[in-house]
């Protein structure tokens, strides 16, 4: 039947949430910066394994995967790589995500694209816990990063793709998060997104414009990291509102 023929073309995998996120992150990145932390460690490990196996991303290149000495190092390296024009991602949670907050403010303030995949876990207070309460993600709300939350393994793959598709259009970093263990380690049969489909959906014109106009280039020197007086700083901050206002529309279109 027509219906069976339609489903015959679908590709299915039995994987957990961490691998679903890594599948997309690896496909749509040039570089990944990793540091292990439960329950997000498997995402970085998967990416590292695939790079070692010379697996190629959707542009036909092997992703450069680097393990740093802390989550702060991972986010700092990602920040520098983004400014050089690389499509970048990282994976973390909990105390590790808190160490990345300074870079979240900078990357968001500079209107640069990147995707942070977070297998959410509670932040240690009177003690440590590996349970999920979204405390780590909620601590980042004021940074300016856009947030997408997945509630199942299938959504984890789908919204990971939406995050990577939208970040380059929105000139805004994205945090894609999902429940640690409850989703990150849940095995489920899901429909995968083929690399050629990701490539067909990608906004290469936005990518070209970003690399031509908004990164650090020797042939187009720019001043960055200045100290602005109050009469300038807050005008620049308000000037980013139109960019933030169009993010929901871009996300909806990519869905």
């Amino acid at each position: 039947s027509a219906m069976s023929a339609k489903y015959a073309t679908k590709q299915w995998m039995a994987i957990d949430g961490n691998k679903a996120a890594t599948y997309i992150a690896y496909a749509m990145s040039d570089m990944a910066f990793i540091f292990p932390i439960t329950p997000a460690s498997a995402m970085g490990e998967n990416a590292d394994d695939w790079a070692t196996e010379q697996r190629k991303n959707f542009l036909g290149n092997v992703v450069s995967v680097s393990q740093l000495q802390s989550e702060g190092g991972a986010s700092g390296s990602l920040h520098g790589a983004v400014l050089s024009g690389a499509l970048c991602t990282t994976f973390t949670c909990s105390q590790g995500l808190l160490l990345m907050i300074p870079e979240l403010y900078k990357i968001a303030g500079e209107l640069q694209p990147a995707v942070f995949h977070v297998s959410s876990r509670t932040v240690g207070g009177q003690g440590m816990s590996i349970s999920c309460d979204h405390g780590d993600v909620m601590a980042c709300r004021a940074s300016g990063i856009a947030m997408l939350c997945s509630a199942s393994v299938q959504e984890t793959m789908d919204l990971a793709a939406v995050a990577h598709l939208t970040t380059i259009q929105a000139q805004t970093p994205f945090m894609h998060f999902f429940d640690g263990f409850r989703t990150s380690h849940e095995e489920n049969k899901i429909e995968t997104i083929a690399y050629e489909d990701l490539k067909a959906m990608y906004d290469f014109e936005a990518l070209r414009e970003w690399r031509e106009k908004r990164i650090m280039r020797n042939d187009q020197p720019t001043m960055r990291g200045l100290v602005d007086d109050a009469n300038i700083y807050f005008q620049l901050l308000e000037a980013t509102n139109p960019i933030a206002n169009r993010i929901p529309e871009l996300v909806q279109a990519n869905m």
Side-chain angles (χ1 to χ4, degrees), residues 23-141:
Y23 176 95
I24 296 295
Y26 191 93
M28 305 184 75
S29 300
D30 297 314
M31 305 181 77
F33 300 90
I34 65 175
F35 190 82
I37 181 170
T38 303
S41 300
M43 289 188 281
E45 291 167 3
N46 289 331
D48 199 20
D49 287 344
W50 294 344
T52 301
E53 295 166 1
Q54 299 294 292
R55 179 167 171 170
K56 294 180 171 57
N57 62 13
F58 78 150
L59 296 176
N61 303 316
V62 177
V63 177
S64 171
V65 180
S66 303
Q67 179 167 323
L68 281 296
Q69 294 183 347
S70 75
E71 291 85 356
S75 60
S77 299
L78 179 146
H79 184 194
V82 164
L83 291 177
S84 73
L87 298 173
C88 294
T89 192
T90 188
F91 318 98
T92 191
C93 67
S94 191
Q95 250 70 20
L97 181 57
L98 298 194
L99 290 173
M100 295 186 175
I101 287 178
E103 297 298 336
L104 296 185
Y105 274 88
K106 291 297 294 181
I107 297 169
E110 294 169 355
L111 304 176
Q112 295 293 339
V115 179
F116 294 71
H117 294 277
V118 178
S119 180
S120 184
R121 173 188 147 191
T122 186
V123 175
Q126 80 286 357
M128 301 294 290
S129 174
I130 59 172
S131 301
C132 170
D133 69 351
H134 299 157
D136 50 0
V137 173
M138 293 299 104
C140 303
R141 286 179 297 174

Side-chain angles (χ1 to χ4, degrees), residues 153-215:
V153 180
Q154 182 68 68
E155 276 192 10
T156 300
M157 174 163 290
D158 297 343
L159 293 187
V162 171
H164 281 271
L165 289 169
T166 310
T167 187
I168 194 68
Q169 299 171 318
Q171 306 175 44
T172 302
F174 268 70
M175 180 183 297
H176 168 236
F177 68 97
F178 44 92
D179 287 0
F181 289 111
R182 177 60 186 87
T183 301
S184 68
H185 285 62
E186 177 191 339
E187 294 277 350
N188 214 321
K189 179 182 177 182
I190 66 169
E191 182 184 351
T192 61
I193 306 174
Y195 278 22
E196 53 265 31
D197 291 335
L198 294 172
K199 190 173 182 180
M201 291 186 288
Y202 202 78
D203 191 340
F204 286 99
E205 178 58 28
L207 177 64
R208 181 197 62 77
E209 182 176 353
W210 170 59
R211 285 177 170 166
E212 285 187 0
K213 299 180 180 180
R214 308 195 55 258
I215 64 171

